[in-house]
Amino acid sequence: MDRRTLLKGMGAALLTGCASGPRSAATPPSAPDWALGWRSVTSAALAPVDAHVKGRFPDALHGTLYRNGPARLERAGQRVRHWFDGDGMVQSFRVSSRGVTHHGRFVSTFKFQNEERLGRYALGTAELPARGNDAYNPANTSVLMVGGELLALWEAGSAYRLDPATLETRGTKDWSEDLAGVPFSAHPLPERDGSYWNFGLAPYAGEQGLMMLYHFSADGRMLQFASLPLSIPGYAHAFAQTERHLIVVLAPLLWDDKRDLTWFDKKAWQPSLGTTVLVVDKADLTHVVRRELPAGFVFHFGHAWEDGDRLRAYACWYEDSHFMHLTVDQDIQGRLKDRPPARLTQLEIPLGTGQGRILRSSHGAEFPVVDPRVPGRRGSAHFVVMQDKDAVLPHGGVIARIDVERDRVQRFDYGPGIIAEEHLFVPTGAREGQGWLLGTSLDCTRGHTRLAAFDAEHLDDGPVALATLPRALPLGFHGTFLKG
């Protein structure tokens, strides 16, 4: 079954708006229930179910896609303040020649165990005193396979170890006694030798906060660690790397204990300070230089590389920190007319003296994914969830491949009422961006989560395979794919 036949077989109302053809005028059977993406799962686990598959998932995608995200946002009628506060549930999509099977399980964190026992939120009270970062840790942001264990990652505390087959929680990942509960971001970066870099921010420690830097092996051994004072207690969710440097971009969103301000408070946004860039030498983690950029806010990065006397990095650049201040109800309502989406932007960072620059593109984009075979080197292809500031619907279902070097864009629109999530790139050929794209979407009209596979070089042809689950999963953030 080729992709054209696959699309016809799904029906015009299921997948519409493909870039290679006109949008269907078919009317969805009912109005989308956008709240599905933020609806809580109330059981500790989701039992395995088989998906209905159309098309054929290629052999290169036979394996497991793991995804993580907040899946418990409400208890006893009380909703969490921010989407990022929900309890993490790891989803497993097992792809084989026999089909696609899904199951999910909450990460059994200290927080989840005790709030399940009490049946309500009670952290910070006499009934459930909060001691240390991991008391608040929902382990809800991403996943990484290290040393035969699946790590569920947050950004302000420990990684949690999971059994890759059952998703049962094995406890925290304790790199050493001194690093128990220390911030460890959800976006480790792979080195070409198979090891990983990571960072963590503790803005409440010391006078201006501390930055932790990690270098660890694929089998889970710590190779290097450094703890350094911050120049400002700013915010960073992820970071970038070149061949010789790590790049940490601190938005002017300041943690201030004296004023009882955290990164989630609107008053913490201080754009007059500009954006601070910390450039770390991989060969000596204590060697850090500071550079400046105009004020802006970044969650995620694309390709980064060395360019003579400067570094360049692509980022999804916001003009302010508004997303950090939204309530869950505002997330459900979707796009804000007075707040532009993130734009794919090139950051130019001088290694010598001088001011950095930002070079904005016209592409609204988030959740960028790049070819993992070119870490720290110049690349072109960015696979993104596309954001259109002029879109009519509150949520979008468009994914795209943006080749920045060639100024070429391929798009695929899942259609009205469907929210697209992060799609991962799985390489199969020698060319950059040659391979498959694998990702999920939530149909808020029909109440289903779907898993789709695309030829990454012909994204606008549509999916080669689509698996529909008999359940709707809450929207998640990030994942990883393991072959076999």
Side-chain angles (χ1 to χ4, degrees), residues 166-186:
T166 67
L167 303 183
E168 292 176 342
T169 303
R170 294 173 172 172
T172 56
K173 173 64 176 176
D174 298 323
W175 302 99
S176 70
E177 289 185 10
D178 294 339
L179 297 180
V182 171
F184 185 84
S185 98

Side-chain angles (χ1 to χ4, degrees), residues 10-344:
M10 290 175 185
L14 175 59
L15 291 178
T16 61
C18 179
S20 58
R23 179 181 295 275
S24 167
T27 301
S30 60
D33 178 9
W34 300 114
L36 270 182
W38 292 266
R39 188 163 294 169
S40 291
V41 175
T42 56
S43 58
L46 295 174
V49 295
D50 293 329
H52 177 66
V53 177
K54 286 186 176 290
R56 178 184 176 276
F57 284 88
D59 292 348
L61 296 181
H62 289 179
T64 305
L65 172 68
Y66 296 99
R67 284 185 51 77
N68 195 356
R72 179 69 65 82
L73 299 162
E74 187 173 351
R75 290 181 186 274
Q78 183 182 7
R79 184 170 280 177
V80 296
R81 175 183 178 187
H82 196 282
W83 188 17
F84 294 173
D85 294 331
D87 292 301
M89 173 175 263
V90 174
Q91 316 287 349
S92 167
F93 299 83
R94 177 69 179 170
V95 181
S96 71
S97 59
R98 297 181 297 277
V100 174
T101 301
H102 168 268
H103 77 285
R105 188 182 295 273
F106 277 104
V107 185
S108 187
T109 64
F110 170 90
K111 175 182 181 297
F112 182 79
Q113 289 180 38
N114 283 283
E115 289 176 345
E116 280 287 279
R117 173 176 58 84
L118 295 170
R120 61 186 181 281
Y121 295 119
L123 271 175
T125 68
E127 196 169 19
L128 186 57
R131 297 185 178 91
N133 292 355
D134 280 344
Y136 295 94
N137 186 349
N140 67 4
T141 309
S142 190
V143 282
L144 178 72
M145 182 65 79
V146 173
E149 293 181 311
L150 190 67
L151 300 185
L153 305 174
W154 189 39
E155 63 183 36
S158 301
Y160 269 85
R161 301 177 294 115
L162 309 181
D163 182 298
T166 67
L167 303 183
E168 292 176 342
T169 303
R170 294 173 172 172
T172 56
K173 173 64 176 176
D174 298 323
W175 302 99
S176 70
E177 289 185 10
D178 294 339
L179 297 180
V182 171
F184 185 84
S185 98
H187 287 281
L189 295 175
E191 189 56 84
R192 279 180 285 174
D193 63 3
S195 63
Y196 290 89
W197 301 95
N198 203 5
F199 80 107
L201 297 180
Y204 42 78
E207 294 185 6
Q208 297 281 3
L210 293 175
M211 175 173 67
M212 277 63 69
L213 297 169
Y214 306 85
H215 186 200
F216 57 97
S217 66
D219 61 4
R221 293 177 293 109
M222 187 62 66
L223 303 175
Q224 297 181 72
F225 173 78
S227 177
L228 306 171
L230 285 171
S231 50
I232 64 168
Y235 178 77
H237 172 73
F239 67 131
Q241 68 167 326
T242 65
E243 288 189 301
R244 295 188 293 114
H245 297 94
L246 306 176
I247 305 169
V248 180
V249 178
L250 295 175
L253 184 67
L254 305 189
W255 190 290
D256 190 339
D257 281 338
K258 294 179 181 178
R259 299 170 61 198
D260 198 28
L261 290 179
T262 74
W263 289 323
F264 293 96
D265 295 306
K266 291 181 180 180
K267 291 182 180 179
W269 176 245
Q270 301 291 323
S272 63
L273 298 177
T275 297
T276 298
V277 181
L278 302 178
V279 179
V280 183
D281 188 335
K282 286 182 176 180
D284 180 1
L285 296 183
T286 65
H287 185 209
V288 181
V289 297
R290 173 178 170 172
R291 296 294 179 262
E292 303 295 335
L293 289 172
F297 186 90
V298 174
F299 282 120
H300 304 118
F301 293 87
H303 286 296
W305 69 97
E306 315 265 348
D307 184 17
D309 63 350
R310 63 201 62 224
L311 307 178
R312 298 186 184 275
Y314 277 97
C316 295
W317 182 269
Y318 295 87
E319 298 303 322
D320 59 34
S321 62
H322 71 272
F323 194 87
M324 291 290 285
H325 316 307
L326 299 180
T327 66
V328 173
D329 287 336
Q330 288 172 320
D331 288 322
I332 294 171
Q333 293 168 14
R335 294 185 176 95
L336 301 176
K337 293 183 179 180
D338 59 339
R339 291 290 188 270
R343 283 201 279 172
L344 192 61

